[in-house]
């Protein structure tokens, strides 16, 4: 197998990895956003019930959940994989020029 064929095969694999990891990261971000929105809504309803007589008090609900932190970690890893794949693709294209 020649050098060009090997580089082309690696390039195709990296392209697939980049696309898949990017799509998974986007899907995870959307799911995480929806989950946080639901939690925020539930927290706001609870806060409104608890502070019913203080309706004029400005309050902003902040949501923390271990599941959210775990999902954010997974998204970061997926984005890291996509970034590494893109950098590798760039290096392979430079090598192919020679």
């Amino acid at each position: 197998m020649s050098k060009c064929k090997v580089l082309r095969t690696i390039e195709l694999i990296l392209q697939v990895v980049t696309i898949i990891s990017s799509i998974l990261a986007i899907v995870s971000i959307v799911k995480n956003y929806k989950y946080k929105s639901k939690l925020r809504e539930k927290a706001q309803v609870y806060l409104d019930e608890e502070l019913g007589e203080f309706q004029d008090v400005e309050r902003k609900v902040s949501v923390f959940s271990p599941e959210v932190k775990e999902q954010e970690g997974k998204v970061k890893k997926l984005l890291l994989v996509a970034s590494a794949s893109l950098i590798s693709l760039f290096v392979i294209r430079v090598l192919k020029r020679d």
Side-chain angles (χ1 to χ4, degrees), residues 1 9 14 21 32 39 50 52 63 69-70 78 82-84 90:
M1 216 179 204
T9 305
L14 286 172
S21 60
N32 211 13
L39 283 179
E50 290 296 316
V63 177
K69 284 293 182 191
E70 183 179 321
L78 286 169
S83 300
F90 177 74

Side-chain angles (χ1 to χ4, degrees), residues 4-39:
C4 271
K5 281 189 176 185
V6 171
L7 288 176
R8 180 68 184 148
T9 305
I10 293 171
E11 184 179 15
L12 289 173
I13 291 170
L14 286 172
Q15 286 174 349
V16 170
V17 167
T18 303
I19 291 170
I20 290 173
S21 60
S22 298
I23 290 171
L24 288 174
I26 291 168
V27 168
S28 295
I29 289 169
V30 169
K31 285 172 69 176
N32 211 13
Y33 176 78
K34 287 182 178 182
Y35 181 70
K36 282 171 101 174
S37 295
K38 285 181 185 179
L39 283 179

Side-chain angles (χ1 to χ4, degrees), residues 5-96:
K5 281 189 176 185
V6 171
L7 288 176
R8 180 68 184 148
T9 305
I10 293 171
E11 184 179 15
L12 289 173
I13 291 170
L14 286 172
Q15 286 174 349
V16 170
V17 167
T18 303
I19 291 170
I20 290 173
S21 60
S22 298
I23 290 171
L24 288 174
I26 291 168
V27 168
S28 295
I29 289 169
V30 169
K31 285 172 69 176
N32 211 13
Y33 176 78
K34 287 182 178 182
Y35 181 70
K36 282 171 101 174
S37 295
K38 285 181 185 179
L39 283 179
R40 194 173 286 119
E41 185 178 313
K42 286 180 182 179
Q44 188 65 49
V45 168
Y46 175 77
L47 192 61
D48 287 343
E49 289 174 358
E50 290 296 316
L51 299 174
E53 67 270 5
F54 302 107
Q55 289 295 330
D56 59 339
V57 176
E58 183 179 329
R59 55 194 177 269
K60 188 173 184 177
V61 177
S62 180
V63 177
F64 173 79
S65 169
E67 293 86 16
V68 170
K69 284 293 182 191
E70 183 179 321
Q71 287 299 321
E72 288 174 351
K74 288 180 183 178
V75 168
K76 287 178 184 176
K77 288 176 186 174
L78 286 169
L79 291 174
L80 183 65
V81 168
S83 300
S85 296
L86 285 172
I87 291 169
S88 300
L89 283 170
F90 177 74
V91 169
I92 287 174
R93 294 203 181 198
V94 168
L95 289 174
K96 281 175 62 175

